[in-house]
Amino acid sequence: MENVQNFISENKDRFVEELFELLRIPSVSADPAYANDVRKTAEYLADKMKSAGADQVEIFETAGHPIVYGEKIVDPNLPTVLVYGHYDVQPADPIELWDSGPFEPVIKKTEIHPEGAIFARGACDDKGQMYMHLKAFEAMNKHGNIPVNLKFMIEGEEEVGSVNLGIFCKEYKDKLACDVVLLSDTSVIANDTPSITVGLRGLSYIEVEVIGPNRDLHSGVYGGAVANPINVLSQMIASLQDENKRITIPGFYDDVEDLSDEERAAMNKAPFSLDNYKKSLAIEDVMGETGYTTLERTSIRPTLDVNGIWGGYIGEGAKTVLPSKANAKISMRLVPNQHPETITKLFQDHFESIAPEGVKVTVSPHHGGFPAVTPTNTPEYKAAEKAMEQTYGKTPIPQRSGGSIPIVALFEEVFGVKSVLMGFGLNSDDIHSPNEHYGLFNYFKGIETIPYFFKYYSELKK
Ligand code: BES
Ligand code: MN
Ligand code: MN
C-alpha cells in the first residue's frame, strides 16, 4: 500500500493534466450538437483505461451515447467490484455567468478550497470523481496486488436518465456480474467531516403545457374575458403546495416511508449550520415543509419544484399581449417507497383535474427514477468507512443525499447487489451551475482512499 500511495503522490501533476484533457472535451449529453464530443470523450477514456492496465477495454454502442467498459480479473475466487461513473456533463449555460470557459479548466483558490480547485463543467460531476477510479487503479496495478476483480462501466447518459445503460445492464447481466457496485458521484459533508451517502432520492420529471386561445391576443381588447394561460398555469402551480409547503396532489404522500423519531434525531446530529447555509446562498431564511429541518427537507422528504417556466413576451420593452400558451418543467424528488410512475400518474390526473374550463392542459412525462437506500451493516459499507477513516483520520458519517442517481436502484434490481456511494465532492462545488469546481484536496483524497476500499473490502468480504 505504501508503494501505491507513493506512486499517487509522485504522479499528482500528471493526474491533474489528464483530468484537464478530459474536461476540455464538452461531453454534454442533453444536446445533440455535442454528440461527436461525447464520443471523443468515450474514446479518450477507453484509451486511458487501457493504459492504466485494464483488459477487454471496449466502447459499447447504444441507441444513445456509448458506454466504456474494461476489466481486470485477478482471480475468480476474489470478490468482484463493478466501478460505475459517468463521463457526460450538464449543459454549461448560462455561459455568461462563468468566470472562465466551462471547457477550459483552470485552478483557482477559494475560501473553501485554499489548496485550489479545478473549475470546469464536469470537474466534480462526474468526470473528476470518475477519473479518480482510473488513477487509483493505475496506481494499484503498477505497485500493488489488486485484492479484488475489477469491472469498469462508465456511461455517457447519466444526466439524461441512463435509459440505455439500463438496457445494457440487462443485456450484459452475466458479463457485469459483481458483488458490489462502487461509485463516486455524491458529496462529503466537508473536507474535515467525511461522510458516506446512504440514500438517494428518486425523481419524477414532467413537462406541462397550457393552451388558451388559438392565437396571441391584444391584452386590452381580450384581457379579462379570456383565460390567460400564464395566469392559469401560475395559479395551478401555486396550488400544488399548501401554506405548510405540503404537496396537495391527492395520494402523493401515501407511500412515503416515515422515519422513527430516533432515526430523525440521529440524522439531525450531523454537523450542519443553518447560518452558514443561508449565508452561502445569500438568503434571509430557508423555506420548506413545516415540521422538518433543512437536513430532512433535503433528504428524507419528497419535494416539488418548477425547474423552468416560459410563455408570452419576454423581449425588450413592453408588449401588450395575452399569450396563447404557457409551459413549465416540474420535478418531484421522491423518497423510499414512492414509485416514480405512480407519482407521475397522480400528478397527471390531478393537474388535468384542476385545469379550468377555457384552457387545454397537456402533461408529458420525462425520465424518472427510483430512490435508493443502502444499509450500513454490510462488508462494503464497513470497507468504505475504514478506507475513509484511514485517509481522513475520522470516521465518516452516514448521510442520505437529496440528489438522484436512478441507475443505482436498477443495479440492485438487475445485479441483486447494493452500491457504495463513496463520493468526495462538496455540496458547494456548484455542480450543474456556473463555475462548477472540484477541490484538488478532494481529487487526491479520492485517489488515495479508493485503494484502501478494495483492500478492506477483500478482507471483510471473506
Ligand atoms: N451526481 C448527481 C447526483 C448527486 C449529486 C447525488 C449530489 C448526490 C449529491 C447526478 O449526476 C445528477 O445530477 N443526477 C440528476 C438526476 C438525473 C436523472 C438527471 C439529479 O439529481 O438531478
Ligand atoms: Mn453525477
Ligand atoms: Mn449531475
Side-chain angles (χ1 to χ4, degrees):
M1 199 47 95
E2 209 185 307
N3 284 335
V4 173
Q5 297 297 337
N6 285 342
F7 181 83
I8 294 168
S9 39
E10 282 155 18
N11 286 276
K12 282 183 167 175
D13 289 346
R14 178 170 59 83
F15 290 175
V16 170
E17 275 306 307
E18 289 177 16
L19 177 56
F20 268 39
E21 285 290 302
L22 184 61
L23 292 168
R24 285 190 186 107
I25 324 175
S27 51
V28 179
S29 51
D31 186 346
Y34 291 94
N36 262 331
D37 294 302
V38 175
R39 176 164 302 275
K40 264 191 232 155
T41 313
E43 284 160 5
Y44 178 82
L45 270 182
D47 215 50
K48 290 294 172 200
M49 216 182 252
K50 257 180 242 163
S51 58
D55 304 318
Q56 316 285 340
V57 175
E58 202 177 323
I59 294 177
F60 282 87
E61 297 303 327
T62 73
H65 301 304
I67 295 161
V68 185
Y69 179 85
E71 62 184 35
K72 185 87 193 177
I73 306 300
V74 179
D75 174 351
N77 294 317
L78 290 172
T80 300
V81 180
L82 177 71
V83 174
Y84 162 80
H86 65 94
Y87 67 82
D88 65 320
V89 300
Q90 286 275 326
D93 55 285
I95 197 140
E96 66 279 8
L97 295 183
W98 284 76
D99 296 330
S100 52
F103 303 106
E104 293 154 26
V106 285
I107 294 173
K108 281 182 271 190
K109 291 187 174 146
T110 72
E111 210 177 304
I112 292 181
H113 296 290
E115 292 158 17
I118 302 169
F119 282 75
R121 171 57 86 232
C124 175
D125 183 14
D126 181 42
K127 284 173 168 170
Q129 294 212 63
M130 170 271 291
Y131 204 63
M132 299 180 318
H133 287 272
L134 288 196
K135 295 301 100 182
F137 167 61
E138 181 189 323
M140 283 171 34
N141 195 48
K142 275 256 153 57
H143 282 290
N145 284 327
I146 304 177
V148 294
N149 297 313
L150 281 170
K151 296 178 178 176
F152 294 96
M153 179 173 74
I154 316 294
E155 72 157 318
E157 296 193 310
E158 195 277 341
E159 301 291 6
V160 292
S162 302
V163 172
N164 291 304
L165 184 69
I167 296 168
F168 178 81
C169 288
K170 287 175 185 159
E171 191 177 336
Y172 291 97
K173 190 174 174 237
D174 296 335
K175 183 185 179 69
L176 301 169
C178 56
D179 296 286
V180 69
V181 178
L182 173 66
L183 59 144
S184 298
D185 195 20
T186 51
S187 17
V188 288
I189 294 173
N191 282 350
D192 59 1
T193 316
S195 57
I196 298 174
T197 300
V198 291
L200 292 164
R201 286 197 284 196
L203 184 70
S204 162
Y205 200 109
I206 283 155
E207 191 159 333
V208 297
E209 182 167 68
V210 176
I211 302 183
N214 60 0
R215 60 192 189 279
D216 285 6
L217 302 173
H218 188 288
S219 66
V221 175
Y222 290 94
V226 175
N228 177 325
I230 300 182
N231 295 17
V232 169
L233 177 60
S234 312
Q235 280 157 358
M236 288 173 75
I237 288 171
S239 79
L240 295 175
Q241 284 170 330
D242 67 14
E243 64 281 9
N244 291 316
K245 294 285 171 285
R246 297 247 328 162
I247 294 151
T248 57
I249 299 168
F252 183 84
Y253 291 98
D254 281 3
D255 298 328
V256 169
E257 185 188 271
D258 284 319
L259 268 66
S260 67
D261 290 347
E262 291 76 43
E263 285 172 305
R264 289 180 63 187
M267 71 173 292
N268 283 301
K269 279 209 195 101
F272 175 76
S273 155
L274 191 57
D275 269 345
N276 291 346
Y277 188 80
K278 289 191 275 194
K279 238 176 248 151
S280 76
L281 300 174
I283 52 174
E284 290 293 318
D285 208 352
V286 291
M287 181 189 272
E289 189 182 359
T290 307
Y292 294 94
T293 64
T294 295
L295 277 179
E296 292 172 327
R297 289 168 178 172
T298 54
S299 63
I300 57 159
R301 297 301 296 166
T303 58
L304 183 149
D305 278 290
V306 179
N307 296 252
I309 184 163
W310 66 101
Y313 181 70
I314 52 166
E316 285 286 315
K319 179 189 180 193
T320 50
V321 61
L322 192 162
S324 115
K325 58 180 194 164
N327 301 71
K329 291 180 194 276
I330 298 170
S331 69
M332 288 167 283
R333 296 281 168 174
L334 313 179
V335 297
N337 271 340
Q338 285 185 299
H339 191 301
E341 274 167 34
T342 309
I343 294 296
T344 298
K345 181 82 173 66
L346 288 177
F347 178 97
Q348 179 152 18
D349 291 348
H350 177 67
F351 208 70
E352 285 167 2
S353 81
I354 60 171
E357 297 284 330
V359 298
K360 276 197 277 311
V361 167
T362 44
V363 176
S364 321
H366 282 264
H367 53 71
F370 282 87
V373 272
T374 55
T376 55
N377 58 356
T378 58
E380 55 265 26
Y381 184 86
K382 296 284 173 218
E385 187 178 65
K386 279 186 85 170
M388 287 179 105
E389 250 165 30
Q390 177 91 37
T391 53
Y392 284 85
K394 278 185 190 174
T395 305
I397 298 166
Q399 190 170 59
R400 288 208 208 177
S401 167
S404 308
I405 310 176
I407 201 70
V408 169
L410 187 131
F411 290 154
E412 192 169 344
E413 181 199 323
V414 177
F415 305 143
V417 302
K418 287 285 182 184
S419 295
V420 176
L421 301 157
M422 194 169 70
F424 294 88
L426 297 180
N427 281 344
S428 56
D429 284 344
D430 289 323
I431 64 171
H432 294 206
S433 301
N435 303 312
E436 175 177 353
H437 54 281
Y438 190 40
L440 289 172
F441 172 90
N442 305 68
Y443 184 52
F444 298 133
K445 190 63 89 183
I447 300 172
E448 288 156 13
T449 306
I450 291 162
Y452 286 110
F453 172 81
F454 295 129
K455 175 180 187 293
Y456 295 129
Y457 182 64
S458 76
E459 289 171 12
L460 291 164
K461 183 71 184 162
K462 269 181 200 142

